Amino acid sequence: MYTVDINKENPIILGIETSCDETAAAVICGRKILSDEIASSANIQALYGGVVPEIASRAHTDAVSLVVENAVKKAGITYADIDAVAVTYGAGLLGALLVGVSFAKAFAYAIKKPLIAVNHIRGHLAAAYLSDTALKPPFITLLASGGHTAILHTKTESEFAILGGTLDDAVGEAFDKVARVLGLQYPGGPNIERCALGGKNVVPMPKMFKGGGGYNFSYSGLKTAVINYCHTKEQKGEPYEKADVAKSFECAAVDVLVEKTVAAAKETGVKTVTAGGGVVANTYLRQSLAAACKKNGFKLVLPEKRYCTDNAAMIAAEGLTQFKLGNFADLRLNAKASIPLSKTLS
């Protein structure tokens, strides 16, 4: 049905992302972003305090065709110029994923181009390639998102070693839960950050795995400590500063990420550190990680904030890697709500 030149220097990849509440499409040529379109239902989801899967799926169905059309148009290309169509097939909300996968399969078939199945987490890791077009492994990667928290040793573009991960809540999940306790709107991450700007790190917070734990994380205790602190104050009728709680939580959640990422770089002997995932948009994390890497002589590559949260450019970037490896999907591709981290990065 089509011919593919996997050795083409700068193939044009269309990326499609519909794993949660963002309908996104982007076009890249090599590692250069030609267009990046996003239609979000976050404002609607905020009315319900979080993402409602059925609402997200319907929003994707309404938006996906126009978002893809606009991405191709703004890239200044035609459908014939596209070398492959990359789409997120997991992990995420199943109904939302099915919209993107179904559209991508039909679109790729219609324009007679290969289909590439992209794991959402690999997309977050590939976002660093868009910030530094000369970036090459090996490097240490901090993955910090709503569903995953891990430190990875990226050995090659297709080979990863998981040095450690969360044993319970992911850091982004903890941000969302703490935001609810403080009465902050969805999404929790940016609202915790804004609240923390006016606060001080003065509320005692537990330190996870103090003196041990390797590269693993645990956020359930930190989340519970915030809940207990706030509820105890409220039950006693004592006032407390939400900004101080937000700042203290933010420091406790982020400092350990930075500490263990730098420790991993030292142990493995690599000289470059990258990061990916929605929590990497947090300003305190970015500044802390930059300072720690500078102090220890490591090069730090951070995606722009907009490419840390869900977007299609990162899906296209991972699609480029899979294109070069010749990893294509057929039209039997199905969406998967859950994909174990250990099986996707090995």
Side-chain angles (χ1 to χ4, degrees), residues 192-311:
I192 285 280
E193 180 177 352
R194 279 190 284 270
C195 183
L197 288 175
K200 298 178 182 178
N201 183 14
V202 294
V203 179
M205 294 288 169
K207 304 296 182 183
M208 67 182 80
F209 298 132
K210 187 175 182 181
Y215 297 113
N216 288 325
F217 303 91
S218 172
Y219 281 97
S220 63
L222 178 58
K223 170 201 67 182
T224 301
V226 174
I227 294 173
N228 289 341
Y229 176 85
C230 294
H231 286 181
T232 298
K233 289 289 188 181
E234 290 165 1
Q235 289 170 355
K236 291 182 177 181
E238 298 175 356
Y240 64 91
E241 291 293 335
K242 287 186 178 182
D244 289 345
V245 177
K247 183 62 179 179
S248 300
F249 164 77
E250 181 182 53
C251 290
V254 167
D255 289 349
V256 68
L257 293 174
V258 174
E259 176 186 331
K260 294 197 174 192
T261 301
V262 171
K266 289 180 179 178
E267 182 178 339
T268 56
V270 304
K271 299 298 181 183
T272 302
V273 172
T274 72
V279 180
V280 180
N282 179 274
T283 301
Y284 177 69
L285 172 56
R286 296 171 76 88
Q287 292 175 343
S288 299
L289 191 57
C293 286
K294 181 178 181 180
K295 179 180 178 181
N296 289 279
F298 299 131
K299 176 184 178 181
L300 176 63
V301 179
L302 289 178
E304 292 180 31
K305 286 190 175 185
R306 66 177 297 178
Y307 298 123
C308 294
T309 53
D310 291 352
N311 66 91

